Amino acid sequence: QVQLVESGGGLVQPGGSLRLSCAASGFTFGDYAIGWFRQAPGKEREGVSCIESGNGGTWHVDSVKGRFTISRDNAANTANLQMNSLKSEDTAVYYCAATRRFGRSWCRVAYSTDYNYWGRGTQVTVSS
């Protein structure tokens, strides 16, 4: 049974940090690109970051560049999203997702439909 389980969300003050984790099971994790998406109340789901399955190359949306870092540990079947210098506009439910669509040397989060496995999400609230 395929599962992606996010953890690490919570309430943090502006300027603070959180580290989200995505624990995967039920599929060959190392063969899949991983994406992080987020959805704020009343807004569409937005792609945030992704990491390739092969070389570990990464991509981040402009609004989080320099603040967020995506990583993966294939031995542990986990992916992480380190979020620093958090802003109120980062408040959202964060989802991790997996896909084999891209092969091993690229990824994108422009289209959530590229991803076929999804977690249930973890809430991140940035507020003073």
Side-chain angles (χ1 to χ4, degrees):
Q1 179 182 358
V2 170
Q3 273 196 315
L4 291 172
V5 180
E6 302 94 337
S7 62
L11 173 64
V12 63
Q13 292 186 344
S17 298
L18 283 174
R19 184 177 178 85
L20 305 184
S21 293
C22 174
S25 61
F27 62 100
T28 306
F29 181 76
D31 289 345
Y32 285 70
I34 300 298
W36 283 95
F37 294 77
R38 65 186 179 186
Q39 188 164 19
K43 294 189 176 181
E44 293 187 355
R45 189 167 295 188
E46 172 191 30
V48 176
S49 304
C50 66
I51 186 165
E52 301 166 359
S53 64
N55 298 328
T58 62
W59 182 93
H60 300 275
V61 70
D62 284 347
S63 60
V64 308
K65 279 181 181 177
R67 301 189 298 121
F68 289 13
T69 303
I70 188 172
S71 62
R72 67 188 298 156
D73 182 344
N74 289 342
N77 287 354
T78 59
N80 298 296
L81 186 68
Q82 178 66 43
M83 306 187 297
N84 299 329
S85 302
L86 283 161
K87 306 175 181 179
S88 58
E89 51 263 44
D90 295 318
T91 295
V93 177
Y94 283 71
Y95 301 88
C96 68
T99 182
R100 292 188 63 176
R101 181 167 187 160
F102 305 131
R104 298 184 64 78
S105 59
W106 77 289
C107 67
R108 70 181 181 189
V109 286
Y111 305 103
S112 61
T113 52
D114 283 336
Y115 291 77
N116 49 329
Y117 298 149
W118 288 83
R120 293 187 175 184
T122 185
Q123 176 70 47
V124 171
T125 303
V126 184
S127 174
S128 56

